[in-house]
Amino acid sequence: MKLMDAAELVKQPPDVTENPYRKSGQEVSIGKQIPAPVEESACQFFFDLNEKQGRKRSSTGRDSKSSPHPKQPRKPPQPPGPCWFCLASPEVEKHLVVNIGTHCYLALAKGGLSDDHVLILPIGHYQSVVELSAEVVEEVEKYKATLRRFFKSRGKRCVVFERNYKSHHLQLQVIPVPVSCCATDDIKDAFITQAQEQQIELLEIPEHSDIKQIAQPGAAYFYVELDTGEKLFHRIKKNFPLQFGREVLASEAILNIPDKSDWRQCQISKEDEETLARRFRKDFEPFDFTLDD
């Protein structure tokens, strides 16, 4: 059921009949008259994910007529302490930031697998994709689609992965892989093979599925998304190799740079980082959707 769409979960069989007690009047209970319960649309139990059924709700989850004053946008949660990735934090290495949207920003990865290895990060403090609000999710997806087009124009396909384990701020790793290196199926096979070798249960999930349908807030997990939309997911129960995603992509089967599997071995000077950031900003500018706002 976790892998089914909400619309499929609430779908009624073709031979269903109407509730014979619906709007049947009133019942007497302990000397008082109470109205008979009115059957609500099934989609109400799934927070109106199917817009064609039930009452239309506002983004706050309340009926649009319930309050004359619209609720102010919810502020992103704040970190309990210093955070290296909250954009407003003094700990952020701002020279690595290459693009800023409304809810998210792009930054070059510290010790990246390549010069154009970037991160998609929420501006506010969120620990994982599962905890993101709807408007942040929308911009994350926009960044992913834009980066795919950008890298495709440069003869590369990109791999996106998230490790929600021993991390405090969401980091979506976006790693470009030259088309000449290997096919998407080779990347998928490399992840599955290495997972089996390390006794990691890496499951394929439906392409259009939402991670929120599979993992609960606070649950540890790893997932990887290929350029075809295929997704592989692992629910972390105990220990998990922190560099697993990098190790697979750096392996001989894909980028063939096994010595770069640990980011700490790939650090360069701040001056070189600034040069790479300037270059990425210039190259990415024709694809920058934030300039249209």
Side-chain angles (χ1 to χ4, degrees), residues 249-262:
L249 291 167
S251 67
E252 294 181 6
I254 304 179
L255 292 172
N256 194 22
I257 45 173
D259 56 318
K260 290 190 174 184
S261 59
D262 190 329

Side-chain angles (χ1 to χ4, degrees), residues 4-293:
M4 294 175 67
D5 291 335
E8 192 66 26
L9 287 169
V10 302
K11 185 177 180 181
Q12 298 186 6
D15 57 346
V16 70
T17 60
E18 291 293 329
N19 181 354
Y21 299 103
R22 186 176 184 179
K23 298 181 181 179
S24 60
Q26 297 180 328
E27 294 179 357
V28 179
S29 175
I30 320 178
K32 295 183 180 180
Q33 290 190 337
I34 58 172
V38 178
E39 185 183 65
E40 280 200 78
S41 173
C43 68
Q44 296 293 324
F45 299 100
F46 291 87
F47 304 99
D48 283 347
L49 292 177
N50 186 347
E51 295 179 359
K52 295 182 181 179
Q53 300 183 43
R55 296 194 305 268
K56 186 175 181 180
R57 295 193 175 195
S58 66
S59 59
T60 61
R62 298 179 179 178
D63 294 339
S64 57
K65 297 180 181 179
S66 63
S67 175
H69 303 292
K71 189 175 180 181
Q72 294 299 317
R74 184 181 61 181
K75 291 184 178 181
Q78 299 301 310
C83 178
W84 288 97
F85 300 104
C86 287
L87 193 56
S89 171
E91 282 79 15
V92 171
E93 297 194 53
K94 291 184 170 58
H95 67 283
L96 292 172
V97 176
V98 292
N99 191 265
I100 302 176
T102 305
H103 306 287
C104 306
Y105 71 98
L106 290 183
L108 286 184
K110 189 86 171 173
L113 281 167
S114 61
D115 292 347
D116 46 5
H117 174 177
V118 294
L119 308 177
I120 302 174
L121 306 115
I123 291 173
H125 188 76
Y126 295 91
Q127 184 170 343
S128 68
V129 164
V130 174
E131 298 178 6
L132 295 180
S133 59
E135 62 269 17
V136 184
V137 169
E138 183 179 354
E139 191 165 275
V140 165
E141 292 302 320
K142 202 169 183 178
Y143 264 121
K144 286 198 294 187
T146 303
L147 286 168
R148 287 192 189 101
R149 290 196 301 272
F150 169 66
F151 286 125
K152 185 177 181 180
S153 73
R154 306 175 75 81
K156 301 176 183 180
R157 55 172 58 91
C158 64
V159 178
V160 180
F161 72 81
E162 177 195 3
R163 187 200 76 226
N164 182 33
Y165 174 70
K166 294 190 176 181
S167 58
H168 301 290
H169 190 111
L170 166 62
Q171 304 164 52
L172 274 180
Q173 308 272 343
V174 184
I175 299 92
V177 177
V179 173
S180 57
C181 278
C182 56
T184 302
D185 283 345
D186 297 325
I187 299 174
K188 181 179 177 180
D189 291 343
F191 270 99
I192 293 173
T193 299
Q194 195 142 331
Q196 290 173 341
E197 290 175 358
Q198 300 191 41
Q199 297 182 328
I200 295 171
E201 187 181 25
L202 200 57
L203 304 174
E204 186 166 0
I205 61 177
E207 292 179 22
H208 302 292
S209 62
D210 189 339
I211 298 297
K212 292 185 178 184
Q213 296 174 307
I214 302 169
Q216 297 296 320
Y221 64 84
F222 172 88
Y223 97 94
V224 58
E225 185 174 340
L226 306 176
D227 61 308
T228 55
E230 295 172 276
K231 297 177 183 177
L232 301 172
F233 178 88
H234 170 66
R235 192 186 305 277
I236 300 173
K237 297 177 181 177
K238 195 175 181 182
N239 296 321
F240 185 79
L242 297 182
Q243 305 296 335
F244 176 72
R246 284 185 65 114
E247 288 173 357
V248 176
L249 291 167
S251 67
E252 294 181 6
I254 304 179
L255 292 172
N256 194 22
I257 45 173
D259 56 318
K260 290 190 174 184
S261 59
D262 190 329
W263 71 273
R264 290 167 293 190
Q265 307 300 320
C266 308
Q267 295 188 66
I268 57 178
S269 68
K270 183 177 180 180
E271 290 75 17
D272 288 341
E273 289 176 338
E274 290 173 339
T275 300
L276 293 179
R278 283 195 298 270
R279 184 190 306 167
F280 189 94
R281 289 189 202 104
K282 182 180 178 181
D283 293 341
F284 186 70
E285 188 173 353
F287 298 82
D288 186 2
F289 62 85
T290 66
L291 298 178
D292 301 328
D293 297 340

